[in-house]
């Protein structure tokens, strides 16, 4: 039995979704973020030294890193539908978006989260103006323009095809779900990018996505 070590409101939601798309049985072991720090509880470090989610176990195997987990599950248990055939242009695009999700899109989204918190979080009054000025400057010079470019790029890619890898839904769409959802919550994505917005609505309408929400519990991404 595959076990998903699932942290609330986190990247592990997409693993539940993938397992639902694959129609595999699995167990969900839940972990709660610390309400103040939003960090994972120390129990997760007993499963994997980094103590991050997602982590899965499958028999003797323990695997972390969502891209690796998606690749493992889709190639071991998936039909060819979820990973395009090797050597095709769709496969190259699949690879690209699989890596883009965590490699290019998540870093500025995380920086936005951190700088927003610095701006609004509690701190001694004499430090506040300086901390706010640094956070605002970093966001306006680097984080926000970068996010805009990334979102424009995704929008232009989806203007040419329905799903990220091509005409068919693949595991890359599952891997891309978390950054696009995070961008909708805190990265400036809205209906003004109609292709990306429509893609988001269409993943949310998939029956497997809905079932994964039932299994995972409340899913509200951090702002
Ligand atoms: N690149 C890793 C990132 C893992 C990660 O940072 N997970 C977050 C959840 S979205 C986490 O565990 N955060 C809690 C913490 O850092 O303590 C992946 O894709 O699996």
């Amino acid at each position: 039995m595959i076990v998903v070590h699932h942290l609330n409101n986190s990247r592990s939601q997409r693993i539940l979704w993938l397992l639902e798309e694959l129609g595999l049985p699995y167990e969900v072991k839940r972990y709660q973020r610390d309400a103040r720090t939003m960090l994972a509880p120390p129990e997760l470090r007993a499963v994997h030294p980094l103590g991050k989610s997602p982590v899965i176990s499958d028999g003797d195997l323990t695997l972390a890193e969502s891209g690796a987990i998606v690749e493992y599950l889709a190639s071991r248990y998936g039909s060819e539908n979820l990973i395009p055939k090797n050597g095709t242009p769709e496969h190259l695009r699949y690879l690209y978006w699989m890596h883009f999700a965590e490699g290019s899109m998540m870093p500025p989204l995380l920086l936005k989260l951190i700088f927003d918190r610095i701006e609004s979080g509690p701190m001694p009054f004499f430090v506040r103006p300086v901390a706010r000025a640094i956070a605002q400057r970093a966001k306006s010079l680097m984080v926000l323009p970068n996010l805009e470019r990334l979102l424009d790029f995704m929008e232009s890619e989806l203007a040419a095809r329905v799903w990220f890898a091509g005409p068919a839904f693949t595991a890359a769409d599952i891997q891309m779900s978390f950054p696009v959802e995070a961008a909708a919550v805190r990265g400036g994505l809205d209906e003004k990018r109609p292709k990306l917005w429509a893609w988001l609505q269409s993943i949310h309408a998939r029956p497997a996505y809905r079932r994964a929400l039932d299994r995972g519990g409340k899913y509200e991404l951090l702002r």
Side-chain angles (χ1 to χ4, degrees), residues 152-166:
D152 285 346
F153 173 58
M154 288 192 271
E155 178 72 11
S156 70
E157 286 289 299
L158 288 180
R161 53 193 69 83
V162 186
W163 301 104
F164 276 104

Side-chain angles (χ1 to χ4, degrees), residues 109-160:
L109 286 166
L110 183 61
L111 286 174
K112 168 92 176 16
L113 183 71
I114 292 168
F115 286 127
D116 282 348
R117 280 172 186 228
I118 290 174
E119 249 184 291
S120 61
M123 70 183 79
F125 75 91
F126 52 88
V127 189
R128 178 165 301 151
V130 179
R132 276 199 180 149
I134 293 172
Q136 280 165 4
R137 197 162 162 76
K139 280 200 300 187
S140 65
L141 281 182
M142 198 261 273
V143 180
L144 296 175
N146 199 2
L147 276 173
E148 286 292 299
R149 263 195 306 279
L150 289 158
L151 289 171
D152 285 346
F153 173 58
M154 288 192 271
E155 178 72 11
S156 70
E157 286 289 299
L158 288 180

Side-chain angles (χ1 to χ4, degrees), residues 7-12 14 33 38-41 44 50-54 64-67 69 102 106 175 178:
L7 182 67
N8 62 315
N9 302 328
S10 84
R11 287 162 167 89
S12 49
R14 62 187 160 185
R33 290 180 186 270
M38 292 296 148
L39 294 176
L44 251 180
L50 297 183
K52 306 254 180 210
S53 179
E65 198 58 52
S66 40
I69 297 171
E102 289 294 320
M106 283 315 295
Q175 179 70 355
F178 188 78

